[in-house]
Amino acid sequence: MMQTAMNYDRTLKAPIRNAMTCDVEDYFQVSAFEPFIARDSWPSITCRVEANIDRILSLLHENNVKGTFFTLGWIAERYPALVRHIVDNGHELASHGYAHLRASDQSKEEFLDDITRSKKLLEDISGQEVIGYRAPSFSISKRNFWALDALFMAGYRYSSSIYPIAHDHYGMPDASRFAFYPNGKDGLLEVPITTVRLMQKNFPSGGGGYFRLFPYALSRWLLKRVNQHDQQPGIFYFHPWEVDPLQPRQSGIDLKTRFRHYVNLNRMEERIRALTRDFLWGRMDDIFLKNKMQ
């Protein structure tokens, strides 16, 4: 399978813009909570995502940052005003699938149905074309590389579903660290989550739990290295529940899950605010597809 890397002009002197992205799901929908929160109980749980998205939109507005919001169809269906609020603020609307099912847990037919359903739903609500997708839990790897072909078949232009690290729940450490075309430039563009290459190993530097765990100075250094050493834009991701330290605490979860989910939630909002001051940011489509769409 041919993989065509997407290179950027290293002669450009202008500061590199990074992609600010948010995976729009609520706290009870995270994959790590699946053994503890039944999926059929979701409709009876009070959602906090609307208020958290409002906080995030205000935060990004402070420094005029535009980003991409990979939104669950399940959320969009119940909160269409949230979707319109994202779009009205100038952000890109993208898909996170409908039901937050891992791509690796679905058959080809189930996956195609999920991504088609979510794309149509988001487009119907927003009135805009949806061209981007991110798999829940970065669940596309060598074992289900066919999912990238399915995304292109469903009308998506790009995916940000591969994390080139070794992790106990996901990861494809031998994948390209930067944007590439799995099947040539006429196909889908895959934009992996950002990593830094040190000591023959990829280190996570694109957000999520690592961003909450690492000191902010280290996260800033890692992203700056990608911009300056690799001369590439970075991709940062986070979730609405990560700026919500007052969310209900789940009982019965194991210690590893508890630590990963709750560590430094109270520091997350201010750290994101610092990122918006320390780097230049933009939408996924503007950064990675603008030249191709012209």
Side-chain angles (χ1 to χ4, degrees):
M1 182 176 292
M2 182 174 65
Q3 297 186 6
T4 306
M6 186 175 185
N7 296 314
Y8 290 83
D9 188 350
R10 294 171 182 264
T11 65
L12 294 178
K13 295 183 179 180
I16 291 178
R17 282 195 308 157
N18 302 289
M20 177 67 70
T21 71
C22 179
D23 294 355
V24 183
E25 62 196 56
D26 221 328
Y27 67 96
F28 54 85
Q29 296 173 313
V30 300
S31 295
F33 281 174
E34 282 183 11
F36 311 102
I37 302 177
R39 187 175 291 271
D40 59 11
S41 72
W42 286 5
S44 65
I45 301 176
T46 301
C47 283
R48 300 172 66 86
V49 68
E50 281 190 299
N52 291 331
I53 286 294
D54 284 344
R55 291 173 65 186
I56 290 166
L57 292 177
S58 296
L59 187 160
L60 298 182
H61 179 72
E62 291 175 14
N63 284 301
N64 194 30
V65 170
K66 303 303 180 187
T68 296
F69 287 73
F70 293 94
T71 304
L72 277 186
W74 192 96
I75 293 292
E77 196 169 52
R78 288 160 176 77
Y79 302 101
L82 176 152
V83 173
R84 288 189 283 268
H85 196 191
I86 290 170
V87 171
D88 290 346
N89 276 267
H91 302 284
E92 180 191 11
L93 182 68
S95 170
H96 199 35
Y98 178 82
H100 207 259
L101 296 168
R102 292 185 183 91
S104 54
D105 289 343
Q106 301 178 74
S107 68
K108 293 181 182 180
E109 294 74 19
E110 291 169 336
F111 180 72
L112 185 59
D113 178 72
D114 182 87
I115 61 177
T116 301
R117 180 183 182 187
S118 62
K119 187 176 191 296
K120 183 178 186 304
L121 177 63
L122 292 169
E123 290 177 339
D124 288 346
I125 293 172
S126 67
Q128 296 191 0
E129 184 182 13
V130 170
I131 62 173
Y133 171 83
R134 175 172 288 155
S137 299
F138 307 110
S139 50
I140 295 179
S141 66
K142 284 182 177 179
R143 292 175 296 175
N144 62 336
F145 223 56
W146 51 260
L148 298 179
D149 294 327
L151 286 166
F152 188 63
M153 186 186 309
Y156 292 92
R157 300 281 301 282
Y158 76 87
S159 161
S160 182
S161 301
I162 291 175
Y163 208 159
I165 61 170
H167 189 278
D168 55 349
H169 292 313
Y170 54 76
M172 187 176 172
D174 58 347
S176 171
R177 291 176 51 229
F178 302 112
F180 67 97
Y181 294 95
N183 294 308
K185 292 189 176 181
D186 291 330
L188 185 87
L189 177 69
E190 172 61 35
V191 188
I193 301 299
T194 297
T195 59
V196 166
R197 187 74 175 172
L198 296 170
M199 297 179 292
Q200 305 301 311
K201 182 178 179 181
N202 294 342
F203 283 81
S205 52
Y210 297 106
F211 183 72
R212 288 185 281 116
L213 177 63
F214 295 163
Y216 177 73
L218 174 58
S219 295
R220 181 177 57 193
W221 181 87
L222 290 168
L223 184 55
K224 186 177 292 186
R225 181 174 175 83
V226 172
N227 290 166
Q228 295 181 348
H229 179 268
D230 297 306
Q231 286 288 294
Q232 293 279 344
I235 297 88
F236 180 81
Y237 80 97
F238 68 106
H239 307 86
W241 55 264
E242 290 186 281
V243 300
D244 184 11
L246 299 180
Q247 64 187 265
R249 299 287 173 129
Q250 300 303 306
S251 60
I253 60 178
D254 59 81
L255 290 177
K256 180 190 286 188
T257 300
R258 182 177 300 278
F259 177 78
R260 283 179 169 176
H261 188 86
Y262 296 117
V263 64
N264 289 334
L265 289 180
N266 60 323
R267 298 180 179 179
M268 186 66 169
E269 185 171 352
E270 189 51 44
R271 288 183 177 184
I272 296 174
R273 182 172 283 108
L275 273 184
T276 66
R277 296 191 299 260
D278 291 343
F279 296 90
L280 293 180
W281 298 96
R283 298 162 36 141
M284 292 284 292
D285 56 350
D286 285 343
I287 294 172
F288 295 100
L289 290 184
K290 188 173 182 180
N291 292 336
K292 189 176 180 182
M293 291 188 293
Q294 289 177 343

